[in-house]
Amino acid sequence: MNKKMELENQVETLNLLIEFGADEAHEGSPINRFDSTSDEYKLESFNVNHNRSIFLDKMKSKSFDATNKLDELSKRVNSIEELRLILEKCEDFSAPKISNKMNFSFGNQGANVMVLCDPPGREEISEKNIFSGERGLIFDKMFKAIGLSIEEESLYAVPIFPWRLPPSLENSELDLALIYPFVLKHLSIIKPKILVIMTEFFEKFRILANVSKSANEDQFIPEATKNFTIASPGRLIDFPDEKKTAWETLKEIKSLLGQGK
């Protein structure tokens, strides 16, 4: 192996460690944290706070200035391309520091149906797919069954967050809160006839954006848009009994599209 290839492999390994949350240097041999005399490694020095309400208050305080800034940025946007460019340059999210690769959207912006999906994983980022592997096969099969697909430009799919979420719970929840005005703007520009919410992150997303207190979904979804919720491909793999419910919803969407012809 030449030196260039060896360096590239080392960089790839370091990037992988960072993505999995490594935040300290590792020695050539293991450190016994139970025997170490250093306070840095004593178990009692770790103070884990399990109080969620305190954590959310802290997150809200931390995100206040950033939220106001991103809110103002999103209001200046007039097109999807402008929205994408602003997100690419934005430095307020934690995720781009881990990976600058972004899955912004897939398919035809003029399609009647828009699908809001999970944030991308490693494979999705690498392959530039809305879903990869078995999840991708299930996604394609479901929508092709009612005559829709990204390839045929009859479907528009958007990850609820365009980068891989950071491994830290605090940073991932902060990022989900900060992305809210951009997703809101995305929807207001596209104004799809039908919105399919296909991510378990949606409820957390709404709570973190402080919109959960309102029962009025029109705060988020355009008034003329009919919305449906379908389990994500990953959930359907884990809970196959939910496929029947998903199929019934897809048939309802197909019927609604047929009425518009």
Side-chain angles (χ1 to χ4, degrees):
M1 182 183 295
N2 61 45
K3 289 186 177 181
K4 183 179 179 182
M5 289 180 64
E6 185 178 354
L7 179 60
E8 288 177 350
N9 287 338
Q10 289 173 350
V11 170
E12 185 177 349
T13 300
L14 285 172
N15 285 333
L16 180 62
L17 287 169
I18 292 169
E19 287 179 5
F20 276 89
D23 58 1
E24 62 181 75
H26 292 264
E27 301 293 336
S29 58
I31 297 172
N32 187 336
R33 286 169 166 78
F34 292 94
D35 293 338
S36 175
T37 56
S38 169
D39 286 340
E40 183 180 356
Y41 299 120
K42 286 182 180 177
L43 292 180
E44 57 265 32
S45 68
F46 292 92
N47 181 18
V48 180
N49 185 356
H50 297 286
N51 191 321
R52 292 290 296 152
S53 62
I54 291 176
F55 170 72
L56 290 175
D57 286 344
K58 177 185 174 185
M59 190 202 73
K60 185 176 178 181
S61 173
K62 183 178 178 182
S63 68
F64 183 79
D65 290 337
T67 301
N68 286 344
K69 174 187 170 183
L70 300 187
D71 237 355
E72 288 303 313
L73 276 175
S74 68
K75 288 173 183 175
R76 300 177 201 165
V77 171
N78 295 308
S79 70
I80 296 300
E81 182 60 20
E82 286 180 21
L83 191 69
R84 184 183 67 80
L85 290 173
I86 285 178
L87 274 174
E88 282 182 344
K89 296 175 182 177
C90 186
E91 297 181 353
D92 293 278
F93 297 98
S94 299
K97 297 172 186 174
I98 295 171
S99 171
N100 59 4
K101 297 177 181 179
M102 180 172 70
N103 280 9
F104 180 74
S105 67
F106 300 84
N108 178 15
Q109 295 175 14
N112 286 325
V113 180
M114 174 176 168
V115 187
L116 196 61
C117 300
D118 288 338
R122 172 179 285 274
E123 289 184 357
E124 283 77 18
I125 286 287
S126 176
E127 299 171 12
K128 279 291 176 185
N129 285 331
I130 191 69
F131 287 109
S132 295
E134 187 178 356
R135 292 180 301 163
L137 292 174
I138 289 174
F139 178 86
D140 289 342
K141 185 176 180 180
M142 289 172 70
F143 285 99
K144 283 179 179 178
I146 60 171
L148 302 174
S149 75
I150 290 173
E151 293 78 13
E152 295 174 4
E153 299 195 334
S154 53
L155 194 65
Y156 185 57
V158 178
I160 198 168
F161 188 75
W163 299 281
R164 292 188 68 191
L165 281 172
S168 157
L169 175 63
E170 182 175 354
N171 286 338
S172 67
E173 293 196 340
L174 179 61
D175 278 358
L176 282 172
L178 294 180
I179 199 69
Y180 177 79
F182 293 98
V183 180
L184 185 70
K185 190 69 176 185
H186 206 141
L187 275 169
S188 69
I189 293 173
I190 295 296
K191 293 184 176 67
K193 180 177 180 180
I194 295 171
L195 174 67
V196 181
I197 298 164
M198 206 172 190
T199 171
E200 281 75 54
F201 283 94
F202 182 69
E203 283 307 314
K204 175 181 277 193
F205 169 79
R206 293 183 70 233
I207 291 168
L208 293 170
N210 294 319
V211 296
S212 61
K213 294 178 182 178
S214 172
N216 182 9
E217 289 258 341
D218 290 339
Q219 281 188 326
F220 181 81
I221 299 168
E223 189 173 355
T225 297
K226 179 73 173 175
N227 68 91
F228 297 87
T229 299
I230 296 179
S232 69
R235 183 171 178 83
L236 292 176
I237 291 171
D238 293 336
F239 301 96
D241 290 347
E242 295 186 19
K243 288 181 179 179
K244 182 177 180 181
T245 302
W247 175 238
E248 292 301 320
T249 304
L250 285 167
K251 288 195 294 183
E252 192 176 347
I253 292 170
K254 183 179 181 180
S255 175
L256 188 61
L257 289 171
Q259 293 171 16
K261 292 181 179 179

